[in-house]
Amino acid sequence: MINFDNVSVSFKDGKHAVNAVKNVSFKIEDGDIFGIAGGSGAGKSTLLRTINQLQKITDGVVTVDGVSVKELKHKGLHDLRKNVGMIFQHFNLAESKTVFKNIAFSLEDAGWKKPDIEKRVDELLDFVKISDKKDVYPSKLSGGQKQRVAIARALANNTKILLCDEPTSALDAETTASVLKLLKEVNEKLGVTIVIITHELDVIKSICNRVAVMKSGEVVELGEVYEVFTNPQAEFTKELLKHGENFKLPEEIKQNIKGDIYKLTYKGDGATESILSEVTAQNKVQFNILHGKIEYISSRPLGILFVTFNGDQKDVDKVISELEKRIFRLEKAL
């Protein structure tokens, strides 16, 4: 579907040369919800915009459906952009046009007839669940409603690919969840390939199936979301995930515990099995759960428990040895 082959992008910022993207190579498959994560200045937005040639490529090749976008001119480029919709952090709606007119504009530009435009806009408004806002101006809409209009507009020309540039950064948590649910429906019901750039790791965890992590214009990690988030290989990814992790053992608990505290991490089916109870019972060791959670990444469970063990030290050592074999990770909590 989308292939980056040694793609680099450089430009001048005043007197200084900026190497925004450096030799990036990876593939986005048809039907993916692909996330590109990284901090500010990582090159995420620049890379995203090479797909529809809003950003020119300095070196390398970007292909969409086997066609090099760099070679496209005039009609070819216009056709590409019809098939590649885009939504933004701040919606980019025309404030002087109604919701209907905002969506109809791209159809008018593509030469659709008026009856077909009206039918298509109504279909889209129904799909994004804001049919009652058809004649309303953007200033009267909430942030979530504005993003729904933007999504409808981006899909208008039977879009194959949807590019999302920080689509939830301006939204609260509840609205973010509803917009991400809608994007998931766009992917599953309409078969649209989605590329999302974001610094919000929860967005990646929530709906993406694959992810590229960028730092200083380079891709430092690439893979399935579940594997990258549960077992990162690059030091930058580890630090990024640690910075974004809001689940730690509270200091109040640490201060009241004597002895070692262990952090147990379970992946996949192990997150929902009673491995801890089974192993401790077999070795006559008691355990105390201090803190814990199960979260779902790409619909697969990841469990974390903070525990203490009580019993003869030889038996505790056996428990620790057995757990190390049967769960994903066991480590002393700092």
Side-chain angles (χ1 to χ4, degrees):
M1 171 61 82
I2 303 168
N3 190 59
F4 299 95
D5 185 8
N6 291 317
V7 173
S8 295
V9 178
S10 302
F11 50 81
K12 283 194 173 183
D13 182 10
K15 295 181 179 179
H16 304 284
V18 177
N19 299 315
V21 175
K22 307 170 188 174
N23 298 314
V24 166
S25 296
F26 64 85
K27 189 173 184 179
I28 298 172
E29 301 288 351
D30 187 17
D32 273 349
I33 304 182
F34 194 99
I36 303 176
S40 178
K44 306 185 300 297
S45 289
T46 302
L47 183 65
L48 186 80
R49 289 163 184 260
T50 65
I51 296 171
N52 58 359
Q53 279 294 278
L54 290 179
Q55 174 63 59
K56 297 295 182 183
I57 304 158
T58 306
D59 290 301
V61 179
V62 177
T63 57
V64 177
D65 284 340
V67 177
S68 172
V69 300
K70 192 175 184 179
E71 308 304 321
L72 295 176
K73 308 292 182 185
H74 308 301
K75 185 180 184 301
L77 187 57
H78 186 262
D79 289 344
L80 170 74
R81 289 174 178 169
K82 278 200 304 182
N83 288 321
V84 180
M86 194 164 188
I87 62 173
F88 305 87
Q89 177 181 358
H90 296 296
F91 323 121
N92 284 19
L93 301 179
E95 294 292 329
S96 62
K97 296 181 184 292
T98 63
V99 166
F100 177 89
K101 285 291 187 182
N102 265 280
I103 300 170
F105 178 78
S106 62
L107 298 174
E108 292 167 350
D109 183 59
W112 285 49
K113 295 179 180 179
K114 187 174 181 180
D116 294 331
I117 290 174
E118 291 181 355
K119 181 182 177 182
R120 179 61 176 157
V121 173
D122 285 341
E123 288 174 350
L124 290 163
L125 289 173
D126 182 59
F127 183 80
V128 301
K129 299 178 177 63
I130 51 168
S131 294
D132 59 326
K133 305 298 181 184
K134 181 176 179 178
D135 298 316
V136 174
Y137 288 88
S139 62
K140 302 297 183 182
L141 301 177
S142 68
Q145 290 167 341
K146 288 179 181 179
Q147 197 59 289
R148 286 172 181 271
V149 176
I151 292 169
R153 180 183 60 186
L155 296 173
N157 278 297
N158 297 305
T159 302
K160 292 183 179 179
I161 298 169
L162 181 60
L163 309 181
C164 306
D165 191 347
E166 299 278 5
T168 61
S169 294
L171 306 176
D172 60 39
E174 184 177 354
T175 307
T176 290
S178 70
V179 168
L180 293 179
K181 182 181 178 183
L182 175 58
L183 289 175
K184 188 81 170 175
E185 291 175 359
V186 168
N187 173 257
E188 293 177 346
K189 294 180 179 180
L190 304 181
V192 175
T193 300
I194 298 177
V195 187
I196 298 178
I197 63 167
T198 182
H199 65 276
E200 298 175 300
L201 298 181
D202 284 344
V203 170
I204 303 287
K205 283 196 268 187
S206 177
I207 67 167
C208 296
N209 63 303
R210 296 181 65 231
V211 63
V213 180
M214 293 189 70
K215 177 189 177 185
S216 302
E218 298 179 302
V219 172
V220 297
E221 190 137 10
L222 176 71
E224 291 187 4
V225 168
Y226 191 79
E227 293 305 318
V228 169
F229 274 71
T230 58
N231 192 28
Q233 300 301 303
E235 287 303 317
F236 175 76
T237 310
K238 293 176 183 178
E239 288 301 314
L240 189 67
L241 294 175
K242 188 183 296 183
H243 182 71
E245 186 182 86
N246 295 319
F247 190 76
K248 297 179 181 179
L249 186 64
E251 289 297 326
E252 295 83 356
I253 294 178
K254 286 184 184 180
Q255 292 170 4
N256 294 321
I257 297 296
K258 294 180 180 179
D260 293 327
I261 300 172
Y262 293 89
K263 180 181 178 182
L264 282 57
T265 304
Y266 301 80
K267 282 178 64 176
D269 293 339
T272 55
E273 294 175 355
S274 55
I275 297 172
L276 178 61
S277 298
E278 181 185 326
V279 172
T280 52
Q282 288 172 350
N283 291 280
K284 298 180 181 179
V285 169
Q286 295 181 330
F287 67 91
N288 182 28
I289 296 177
L290 306 175
H291 202 37
K293 73 167 183 177
I294 294 178
E295 68 173 324
Y296 286 81
I297 301 171
S298 295
S299 301
R300 297 169 64 188
L302 174 71
I304 297 174
L305 290 177
F306 290 94
V307 304
T308 58
F309 297 113
N310 298 307
D312 186 271
Q313 189 58 49
K314 286 174 61 179
D315 295 329
V316 171
D317 290 343
K318 287 181 183 177
V319 166
I320 291 171
S321 177
E322 184 66 21
L323 286 173
E324 286 177 332
K325 297 174 186 175
R326 296 187 58 183
I327 69 173
F328 176 61
R329 186 185 298 121
L330 183 148
E331 56 196 322
K332 282 188 179 180
L334 300 178

